[in-house]
PDB file of all heavy atoms in Angstrom:
ATOM      1  N   LYS A 138     -69.468   8.321  15.584  1.00 65.00           N
ATOM      2  CA  LYS A 138     -70.586   8.364  14.649  1.00 65.00           C
ATOM      3  C   LYS A 138     -70.941   9.808  14.332  1.00 65.00           C
ATOM      4  O   LYS A 138     -70.655  10.726  15.091  1.00 65.00           O
ATOM      5  CB  LYS A 138     -71.810   7.662  15.245  1.00 65.00           C
ATOM      6  CG  LYS A 138     -71.604   6.179  15.501  1.00 65.00           C
ATOM      7  CD  LYS A 138     -72.863   5.559  16.091  1.00 65.00           C
ATOM      8  CE  LYS A 138     -72.663   4.083  16.388  1.00 65.00           C
ATOM      9  NZ  LYS A 138     -73.892   3.495  16.984  1.00 65.00           N
ATOM     10  N   THR A 139     -71.613   9.961  13.173  1.00 67.00           N
ATOM     11  CA  THR A 139     -72.118  11.275  12.797  1.00 67.00           C
ATOM     12  C   THR A 139     -73.509  11.450  13.402  1.00 67.00           C
ATOM     13  O   THR A 139     -74.337  10.544  13.345  1.00 67.00           O
ATOM     14  CB  THR A 139     -72.200  11.406  11.269  1.00 67.00           C
ATOM     15  OG1 THR A 139     -70.889  11.210  10.738  1.00 67.00           O
ATOM     16  CG2 THR A 139     -72.705  12.779  10.866  1.00 67.00           C
ATOM     17  N   HIS A 140     -73.726  12.598  13.988  1.00 75.00           N
ATOM     18  CA  HIS A 140     -74.999  12.857  14.666  1.00 75.00           C
ATOM     19  C   HIS A 140     -75.522  14.212  14.194  1.00 75.00           C
ATOM     20  O   HIS A 140     -74.726  15.128  13.935  1.00 75.00           O
ATOM     21  CB  HIS A 140     -74.753  12.890  16.178  1.00 75.00           C
ATOM     22  CG  HIS A 140     -76.006  12.812  16.991  1.00 75.00           C
ATOM     23  ND1 HIS A 140     -77.070  12.002  16.660  1.00 75.00           N
ATOM     24  CD2 HIS A 140     -76.365  13.454  18.139  1.00 75.00           C
ATOM     25  CE1 HIS A 140     -78.016  12.147  17.567  1.00 75.00           C
ATOM     26  NE2 HIS A 140     -77.623  13.019  18.469  1.00 75.00           N
ATOM     27  N   PHE A 141     -76.831  14.338  14.011  1.00 82.00           N
ATOM     28  CA  PHE A 141     -77.356  15.624  13.539  1.00 82.00           C
ATOM     29  C   PHE A 141     -78.583  16.037  14.344  1.00 82.00           C
ATOM     30  O   PHE A 141     -79.230  15.219  15.015  1.00 82.00           O
ATOM     31  CB  PHE A 141     -77.692  15.569  12.042  1.00 82.00           C
ATOM     32  CG  PHE A 141     -78.932  14.795  11.712  1.00 82.00           C
ATOM     33  CD1 PHE A 141     -80.171  15.428  11.663  1.00 82.00           C
ATOM     34  CD2 PHE A 141     -78.872  13.431  11.446  1.00 82.00           C
ATOM     35  CE1 PHE A 141     -81.305  14.718  11.358  1.00 82.00           C
ATOM     36  CE2 PHE A 141     -80.009  12.722  11.144  1.00 82.00           C
ATOM     37  CZ  PHE A 141     -81.224  13.366  11.092  1.00 82.00           C
ATOM     38  N   CYS A 142     -78.880  17.339  14.238  1.00 90.00           N
ATOM     39  CA  CYS A 142     -80.021  17.899  14.958  1.00 90.00           C
ATOM     40  C   CYS A 142     -80.560  19.090  14.158  1.00 90.00           C
ATOM     41  O   CYS A 142     -79.786  19.911  13.665  1.00 90.00           O
ATOM     42  CB  CYS A 142     -79.592  18.348  16.352  1.00 90.00           C
ATOM     43  SG  CYS A 142     -80.898  19.169  17.308  1.00 90.00           S
ATOM     44  N   ASP A 143     -81.887  19.168  14.025  1.00 93.00           N
ATOM     45  CA  ASP A 143     -82.537  20.318  13.391  1.00 93.00           C
ATOM     46  C   ASP A 143     -83.079  21.243  14.478  1.00 93.00           C
ATOM     47  O   ASP A 143     -83.750  20.780  15.416  1.00 93.00           O
ATOM     48  CB  ASP A 143     -83.703  19.865  12.505  1.00 93.00           C
ATOM     49  CG  ASP A 143     -83.232  19.104  11.274  1.00 93.00           C
ATOM     50  OD1 ASP A 143     -82.022  19.123  11.016  1.00 93.00           O
ATOM     51  OD2 ASP A 143     -84.069  18.478  10.596  1.00 93.00           O
ATOM     52  N   TYR A 144     -82.770  22.531  14.355  1.00 94.00           N
ATOM     53  CA  TYR A 144     -83.257  23.487  15.345  1.00 94.00           C
ATOM     54  C   TYR A 144     -83.302  24.875  14.721  1.00 94.00           C
ATOM     55  O   TYR A 144     -82.869  25.084  13.573  1.00 94.00           O
ATOM     56  CB  TYR A 144     -82.390  23.471  16.604  1.00 94.00           C
ATOM     57  CG  TYR A 144     -80.927  23.769  16.363  1.00 94.00           C
ATOM     58  CD1 TYR A 144     -80.428  25.069  16.468  1.00 94.00           C
ATOM     59  CD2 TYR A 144     -80.034  22.751  16.019  1.00 94.00           C
ATOM     60  CE1 TYR A 144     -79.090  25.351  16.236  1.00 94.00           C
ATOM     61  CE2 TYR A 144     -78.698  23.015  15.791  1.00 94.00           C
ATOM     62  CZ  TYR A 144     -78.222  24.314  15.903  1.00 94.00           C
ATOM     63  OH  TYR A 144     -76.901  24.587  15.671  1.00 94.00           O
ATOM     64  N   ARG A 145     -83.843  25.820  15.476  1.00 94.00           N
ATOM     65  CA  ARG A 145     -83.938  27.198  15.000  1.00 94.00           C
ATOM     66  C   ARG A 145     -82.975  28.102  15.766  1.00 94.00           C
ATOM     67  O   ARG A 145     -82.743  27.877  16.948  1.00 94.00           O
ATOM     68  CB  ARG A 145     -85.375  27.716  15.185  1.00 94.00           C
ATOM     69  CG  ARG A 145     -86.356  27.218  14.152  1.00 94.00           C
ATOM     70  CD  ARG A 145     -87.786  27.302  14.621  1.00 94.00           C
ATOM     71  NE  ARG A 145     -88.070  26.285  15.627  1.00 94.00           N
ATOM     72  CZ  ARG A 145     -89.289  26.012  16.088  1.00 94.00           C
ATOM     73  NH1 ARG A 145     -90.321  26.691  15.641  1.00 94.00           N
ATOM     74  NH2 ARG A 145     -89.454  25.075  16.997  1.00 94.00           N
ATOM     75  N   ILE A 146     -82.443  29.104  15.025  1.00 94.00           N
ATOM     76  CA  ILE A 146     -81.571  30.089  15.656  1.00 94.00           C
ATOM     77  C   ILE A 146     -82.142  31.487  15.421  1.00 94.00           C
ATOM     78  O   ILE A 146     -82.844  31.721  14.427  1.00 94.00           O
ATOM     79  CB  ILE A 146     -80.128  30.017  15.103  1.00 94.00           C
ATOM     80  CG1 ILE A 146     -80.132  30.244  13.580  1.00 94.00           C
ATOM     81  CG2 ILE A 146     -79.470  28.720  15.492  1.00 94.00           C
ATOM     82  CD1 ILE A 146     -78.747  30.419  12.997  1.00 94.00           C
ATOM     83  N   ASN A 147     -81.839  32.385  16.334  1.00 94.00           N
ATOM     84  CA  ASN A 147     -82.221  33.789  16.189  1.00 94.00           C
ATOM     85  C   ASN A 147     -80.984  34.588  15.794  1.00 94.00           C
ATOM     86  O   ASN A 147     -79.957  34.550  16.479  1.00 94.00           O
ATOM     87  CB  ASN A 147     -82.789  34.341  17.500  1.00 94.00           C
ATOM     88  CG  ASN A 147     -84.080  33.647  17.890  1.00 94.00           C
ATOM     89  OD1 ASN A 147     -84.880  33.299  17.029  1.00 94.00           O
ATOM     90  ND2 ASN A 147     -84.274  33.438  19.181  1.00 94.00           N
ATOM     91  N   THR A 148     -81.066  35.292  14.672  1.00 92.00           N
ATOM     92  CA  THR A 148     -79.928  36.089  14.201  1.00 92.00           C
ATOM     93  C   THR A 148     -79.926  37.452  14.876  1.00 92.00           C
ATOM     94  O   THR A 148     -80.966  37.910  15.385  1.00 92.00           O
ATOM     95  CB  THR A 148     -80.009  36.266  12.677  1.00 92.00           C
ATOM     96  OG1 THR A 148     -81.190  37.005  12.349  1.00 92.00           O
ATOM     97  CG2 THR A 148     -80.054  34.908  11.978  1.00 92.00           C
ATOM     98  N   PRO A 149     -78.773  38.134  14.901  1.00 90.00           N
ATOM     99  CA  PRO A 149     -78.723  39.473  15.522  1.00 90.00           C
ATOM    100  C   PRO A 149     -79.693  40.458  14.875  1.00 90.00           C
ATOM    101  O   PRO A 149     -80.142  41.406  15.531  1.00 90.00           O
ATOM    102  CB  PRO A 149     -77.264  39.895  15.292  1.00 90.00           C
ATOM    103  CG  PRO A 149     -76.507  38.617  15.178  1.00 90.00           C
ATOM    104  CD  PRO A 149     -77.432  37.665  14.510  1.00 90.00           C
ATOM    105  N   GLY A 150     -80.012  40.249  13.593  1.00 88.00           N
ATOM    106  CA  GLY A 150     -80.936  41.165  12.924  1.00 88.00           C
ATOM    107  C   GLY A 150     -82.395  40.922  13.274  1.00 88.00           C
ATOM    108  O   GLY A 150     -83.281  41.613  12.764  1.00 88.00           O
ATOM    109  N   GLY A 151     -82.673  39.935  14.108  1.00 89.00           N
ATOM    110  CA  GLY A 151     -84.057  39.675  14.531  1.00 89.00           C
ATOM    111  C   GLY A 151     -84.751  38.591  13.733  1.00 89.00           C
ATOM    112  O   GLY A 151     -85.926  38.303  13.966  1.00 89.00           O
ATOM    113  N   GLY A 152     -84.043  37.974  12.785  1.00 90.00           N
ATOM    114  CA  GLY A 152     -84.640  36.916  11.987  1.00 90.00           C
ATOM    115  C   GLY A 152     -84.528  35.561  12.659  1.00 90.00           C
ATOM    116  O   GLY A 152     -83.809  35.386  13.649  1.00 90.00           O
ATOM    117  N   THR A 153     -85.263  34.598  12.119  1.00 93.00           N
ATOM    118  CA  THR A 153     -85.208  33.218  12.620  1.00 93.00           C
ATOM    119  C   THR A 153     -84.899  32.304  11.442  1.00 93.00           C
ATOM    120  O   THR A 153     -85.502  32.435  10.372  1.00 93.00           O
ATOM    121  CB  THR A 153     -86.547  32.795  13.255  1.00 93.00           C
ATOM    122  OG1 THR A 153     -86.831  33.657  14.354  1.00 93.00           O
ATOM    123  CG2 THR A 153     -86.493  31.355  13.746  1.00 93.00           C
ATOM    124  N   ARG A 154     -83.981  31.369  11.631  1.00 92.00           N
ATOM    125  CA  ARG A 154     -83.622  30.442  10.575  1.00 92.00           C
ATOM    126  C   ARG A 154     -83.626  29.022  11.116  1.00 92.00           C
ATOM    127  O   ARG A 154     -83.290  28.789  12.281  1.00 92.00           O
ATOM    128  CB  ARG A 154     -82.234  30.767  10.018  1.00 92.00           C
ATOM    129  CG  ARG A 154     -82.183  32.063   9.216  1.00 92.00           C
ATOM    130  CD  ARG A 154     -80.788  32.357   8.748  1.00 92.00           C
ATOM    131  NE  ARG A 154     -80.738  33.622   8.017  1.00 92.00           N
ATOM    132  CZ  ARG A 154     -79.638  34.223   7.634  1.00 92.00           C
ATOM    133  NH1 ARG A 154     -78.455  33.671   7.934  1.00 92.00           N
ATOM    134  NH2 ARG A 154     -79.684  35.364   6.969  1.00 92.00           N
ATOM    135  N   TYR A 155     -84.004  28.112  10.247  1.00 93.00           N
ATOM    136  CA  TYR A 155     -83.899  26.688  10.557  1.00 93.00           C
ATOM    137  C   TYR A 155     -82.529  26.212  10.105  1.00 93.00           C
ATOM    138  O   TYR A 155     -82.093  26.518   8.982  1.00 93.00           O
ATOM    139  CB  TYR A 155     -84.961  25.886   9.813  1.00 93.00           C
ATOM    140  CG  TYR A 155     -86.304  25.841  10.511  1.00 93.00           C
ATOM    141  CD1 TYR A 155     -87.290  26.755  10.201  1.00 93.00           C
ATOM    142  CD2 TYR A 155     -86.570  24.853  11.458  1.00 93.00           C
ATOM    143  CE1 TYR A 155     -88.521  26.711  10.822  1.00 93.00           C
ATOM    144  CE2 TYR A 155     -87.804  24.795  12.086  1.00 93.00           C
ATOM    145  CZ  TYR A 155     -88.776  25.724  11.762  1.00 93.00           C
ATOM    146  OH  TYR A 155     -89.994  25.667  12.391  1.00 93.00           O
ATOM    147  N   VAL A 156     -81.826  25.476  10.961  1.00 93.00           N
ATOM    148  CA  VAL A 156     -80.522  24.936  10.589  1.00 93.00           C
ATOM    149  C   VAL A 156     -80.465  23.460  10.941  1.00 93.00           C
ATOM    150  O   VAL A 156     -81.203  22.978  11.807  1.00 93.00           O
ATOM    151  CB  VAL A 156     -79.361  25.678  11.291  1.00 93.00           C
ATOM    152  CG1 VAL A 156     -79.325  27.132  10.871  1.00 93.00           C
ATOM    153  CG2 VAL A 156     -79.456  25.557  12.818  1.00 93.00           C
ATOM    154  N   ARG A 157     -79.584  22.766  10.220  1.00 92.00           N
ATOM    155  CA  ARG A 157     -79.306  21.357  10.551  1.00 92.00           C
ATOM    156  C   ARG A 157     -77.828  21.252  10.883  1.00 92.00           C
ATOM    157  O   ARG A 157     -76.964  21.568  10.059  1.00 92.00           O
ATOM    158  CB  ARG A 157     -79.651  20.445   9.381  1.00 92.00           C
ATOM    159  CG  ARG A 157     -79.193  18.990   9.584  1.00 92.00           C
ATOM    160  CD  ARG A 157     -79.785  18.077   8.548  1.00 92.00           C
ATOM    161  NE  ARG A 157     -81.233  17.959   8.759  1.00 92.00           N
ATOM    162  CZ  ARG A 157     -82.034  17.242   7.964  1.00 92.00           C
ATOM    163  NH1 ARG A 157     -81.536  16.623   6.906  1.00 92.00           N
ATOM    164  NH2 ARG A 157     -83.320  17.178   8.211  1.00 92.00           N
ATOM    165  N   GLN A 158     -77.537  20.819  12.084  1.00 92.00           N
ATOM    166  CA  GLN A 158     -76.144  20.684  12.542  1.00 92.00           C
ATOM    167  C   GLN A 158     -75.752  19.212  12.529  1.00 92.00           C
ATOM    168  O   GLN A 158     -76.492  18.349  13.014  1.00 92.00           O
ATOM    169  CB  GLN A 158     -75.990  21.254  13.949  1.00 92.00           C
ATOM    170  CG  GLN A 158     -74.585  21.069  14.523  1.00 92.00           C
ATOM    171  CD  GLN A 158     -74.424  21.737  15.865  1.00 92.00           C
ATOM    172  OE1 GLN A 158     -74.990  22.807  16.113  1.00 92.00           O
ATOM    173  NE2 GLN A 158     -73.652  21.115  16.749  1.00 92.00           N
ATOM    174  N   THR A 159     -74.591  18.955  11.950  1.00 89.00           N
ATOM    175  CA  THR A 159     -74.023  17.609  11.946  1.00 89.00           C
ATOM    176  C   THR A 159     -72.665  17.659  12.618  1.00 89.00           C
ATOM    177  O   THR A 159     -71.854  18.548  12.327  1.00 89.00           O
ATOM    178  CB  THR A 159     -73.874  17.084  10.506  1.00 89.00           C
ATOM    179  OG1 THR A 159     -75.122  17.156   9.847  1.00 89.00           O
ATOM    180  CG2 THR A 159     -73.393  15.641  10.510  1.00 89.00           C
ATOM    181  N   SER A 160     -72.422  16.737  13.525  1.00 88.00           N
ATOM    182  CA  SER A 160     -71.168  16.751  14.297  1.00 88.00           C
ATOM    183  C   SER A 160     -70.476  15.392  14.200  1.00 88.00           C
ATOM    184  O   SER A 160     -71.142  14.347  14.164  1.00 88.00           O
ATOM    185  CB  SER A 160     -71.450  17.077  15.764  1.00 88.00           C
ATOM    186  OG  SER A 160     -72.134  18.305  15.889  1.00 88.00           O
ATOM    187  N   ARG A 161     -69.130  15.456  14.157  1.00 87.00           N
ATOM    188  CA  ARG A 161     -68.340  14.216  14.181  1.00 87.00           C
ATOM    189  C   ARG A 161     -66.969  14.524  14.787  1.00 87.00           C
ATOM    190  O   ARG A 161     -66.352  15.542  14.462  1.00 87.00           O
ATOM    191  CB  ARG A 161     -68.182  13.651  12.772  1.00 87.00           C
ATOM    192  CG  ARG A 161     -67.514  12.276  12.757  1.00 87.00           C
ATOM    193  CD  ARG A 161     -67.446  11.736  11.348  1.00 87.00           C
ATOM    194  NE  ARG A 161     -66.810  10.426  11.312  1.00 87.00           N
ATOM    195  CZ  ARG A 161     -67.436   9.264  11.478  1.00 87.00           C
ATOM    196  NH1 ARG A 161     -68.747   9.253  11.688  1.00 87.00           N
ATOM    197  NH2 ARG A 161     -66.781   8.123  11.418  1.00 87.00           N
ATOM    198  N   LEU A 162     -66.526  13.648  15.676  1.00 87.00           N
ATOM    199  CA  LEU A 162     -65.218  13.835  16.301  1.00 87.00           C
ATOM    200  C   LEU A 162     -64.103  13.642  15.271  1.00 87.00           C
ATOM    201  O   LEU A 162     -64.190  12.769  14.408  1.00 87.00           O
ATOM    202  CB  LEU A 162     -65.034  12.849  17.454  1.00 87.00           C
ATOM    203  CG  LEU A 162     -65.882  13.117  18.718  1.00 87.00           C
ATOM    204  CD1 LEU A 162     -65.747  11.954  19.682  1.00 87.00           C
ATOM    205  CD2 LEU A 162     -65.443  14.415  19.381  1.00 87.00           C
ATOM    206  N   ILE A 163     -63.070  14.489  15.347  1.00 86.00           N
ATOM    207  CA  ILE A 163     -61.920  14.384  14.451  1.00 86.00           C
ATOM    208  C   ILE A 163     -60.947  13.361  15.054  1.00 86.00           C
ATOM    209  O   ILE A 163     -60.472  13.541  16.184  1.00 86.00           O
ATOM    210  CB  ILE A 163     -61.221  15.743  14.276  1.00 86.00           C
ATOM    211  CG1 ILE A 163     -62.209  16.757  13.674  1.00 86.00           C
ATOM    212  CG2 ILE A 163     -59.988  15.607  13.401  1.00 86.00           C
ATOM    213  CD1 ILE A 163     -61.662  18.170  13.604  1.00 86.00           C
ATOM    214  N   PRO A 164     -60.679  12.269  14.320  1.00 85.00           N
ATOM    215  CA  PRO A 164     -59.819  11.218  14.907  1.00 85.00           C
ATOM    216  C   PRO A 164     -58.372  11.690  15.080  1.00 85.00           C
ATOM    217  O   PRO A 164     -57.884  12.554  14.341  1.00 85.00           O
ATOM    218  CB  PRO A 164     -59.910  10.086  13.869  1.00 85.00           C
ATOM    219  CG  PRO A 164     -60.286  10.758  12.592  1.00 85.00           C
ATOM    220  CD  PRO A 164     -61.123  11.945  12.972  1.00 85.00           C
ATOM    221  N   VAL A 165     -57.712  11.124  16.068  1.00 83.00           N
ATOM    222  CA  VAL A 165     -56.287  11.407  16.342  1.00 83.00           C
ATOM    223  C   VAL A 165     -55.541  10.093  16.422  1.00 83.00           C
ATOM    224  O   VAL A 165     -56.139   9.030  16.638  1.00 83.00           O
ATOM    225  CB  VAL A 165     -56.134  12.211  17.653  1.00 83.00           C
ATOM    226  CG1 VAL A 165     -56.737  13.597  17.504  1.00 83.00           C
ATOM    227  CG2 VAL A 165     -56.779  11.483  18.836  1.00 83.00           C
TER     228      VAL A 165
END
Side-chain angles (χ1 to χ4, degrees):
K138 297 180 182 179
T139 301
H140 194 39
F141 74 90
C142 176
D143 291 349
Y144 58 93
R145 283 159 287 189
I146 58 170
N147 296 324
T148 63
T153 299
R154 290 178 182 171
Y155 276 94
V156 297
R157 171 169 292 178
Q158 176 175 324
T159 305
S160 304
R161 187 177 180 87
L162 289 172
I163 300 174
V165 294

